[in-house]
Amino acid sequence: MTRILVVDDEPQILRALRINLRARRYDVDVAGTGAAALKAAASHPPDLVVLDLGLPDIDGVEVIRGLRGWTSVPIIVLSGRAGSEDKVAALDAGADDYVTKPFGVEELLARIRAVTRRLGASNEAVPALRIGRHTVDLADHRVHHDDGTEVKLTPTQWSVLEKLLRHPGKLVSQRQLLQDVWGPEYQNETNYLRQYLAQLRRKLEDDPARPRHLITEPGMGYRYRP
């Protein structure tokens, strides 16, 4: 069952969405503040987040950035802010879609179905890949050594790895990786990428000093070589 986290400070909207989503067989968690949303997402990771921007404690854009620090879960913004600047800020921070209040429940449900279909297609397109003696299952978010042992990755390590594996053979720029994993304000923190790629190579490459699969393109970015 798909778990959806709905974040809004208006109790009537939380109640209406919880009723409508549960009626369509979604598992629903709700939060009324940004802090509660981040806590709920960490303790019970959702499959999709519906997020209001105008929260009483943390701006919704900051909540998006907080989530994007460790998860690629789809985020649909639900907001009364109709200005293009607000939409651009939310999408640049990592949101997948933007619905303006007042909204129709059927429209929101259609957006949810569209996002979950894209997610399913993405997972099915590249279900499992090889790195040395390891199999990476993108659909299940698991990595196994050939001897059967599971390799544990942190959420951020997984996010970096997944971005590369979903573009086999292609160069992924430093800028794109930093923006997708950490957010647009981290586009100059290239030391983050060096650290995390080194960690991933130690866990996955047969010879981390001479990687065959997680390749650095100096000054440009990184590449997954199948």
Side-chain angles (χ1 to χ4, degrees):
M1 182 180 292
T2 301
R3 179 187 293 274
I4 298 179
L5 172 61
V6 181
V7 187
D8 201 296
D9 64 337
E10 298 183 46
Q12 64 271 28
I13 289 181
L14 288 181
R15 182 175 181 274
L17 289 180
R18 181 166 49 196
I19 291 172
N20 279 278
L21 290 169
R22 285 180 175 172
R24 289 160 177 82
R25 301 185 179 278
Y26 291 106
D27 192 4
V28 183
D29 293 325
V30 298
T33 66
L38 293 171
K39 183 177 180 181
S43 58
H44 297 95
D47 299 301
L48 184 143
V49 177
V50 176
L51 173 70
D52 180 28
L53 293 185
L55 299 172
D57 58 340
I58 306 172
D59 187 79
V61 172
E62 293 305 317
V63 176
I64 296 171
R65 290 170 179 159
L67 290 169
R68 284 290 173 258
W70 63 273
T71 180
S72 58
V73 62
I75 300 172
I76 298 177
V77 167
L78 185 63
S79 178
R81 303 177 187 175
S84 60
E85 290 184 1
D86 294 307
K87 292 181 180 180
V88 169
L91 294 170
D92 280 348
D96 296 273
D97 204 347
Y98 196 108
V99 178
T100 303
K101 295 180 180 178
F103 64 95
V105 171
E106 291 302 324
E107 178 191 356
L108 178 60
L109 291 169
R111 301 286 187 103
I112 289 173
R113 290 193 297 270
V115 169
T116 52
R117 278 198 303 270
R118 290 199 300 269
L119 178 64
S122 178
N123 281 341
E124 291 168 9
V126 192
L129 294 165
R130 296 283 296 176
I131 297 180
R133 290 175 287 179
H134 299 88
T135 298
V136 183
D137 192 324
L138 293 177
D140 288 341
H141 280 209
R142 293 180 179 274
V143 181
H144 286 93
H145 191 277
D146 285 346
D147 64 9
T149 58
E150 185 174 354
V151 178
K152 298 295 186 181
L153 299 181
T154 68
T156 303
Q157 288 172 349
W158 179 265
S159 293
V160 173
L161 180 65
E162 185 173 21
K163 294 297 178 185
L164 295 176
L165 266 57
R166 288 200 180 279
H167 302 87
K170 296 182 180 180
L171 174 70
V172 181
S173 70
Q174 295 175 343
R175 180 187 179 91
Q176 189 65 52
L177 269 175
L178 287 166
Q179 176 169 305
D180 288 351
V181 177
W182 284 276
E185 70 273 27
Y186 289 89
Q187 290 180 8
N188 295 321
E189 305 292 341
T190 55
N191 59 304
Y192 283 23
L193 294 176
R194 288 193 295 271
Q195 292 171 9
Y196 277 90
L197 263 296
Q199 294 167 9
L200 288 168
R201 286 167 180 149
R202 285 195 294 270
K203 290 186 175 185
L204 301 176
E205 292 275 7
D206 291 340
D207 184 353
R210 297 177 178 82
R212 296 180 57 194
H213 302 282
L214 303 177
I215 307 301
T216 299
E217 300 288 353
M220 295 186 293
Y222 299 87
R223 190 189 309 269
Y224 163 62
R225 181 184 295 160

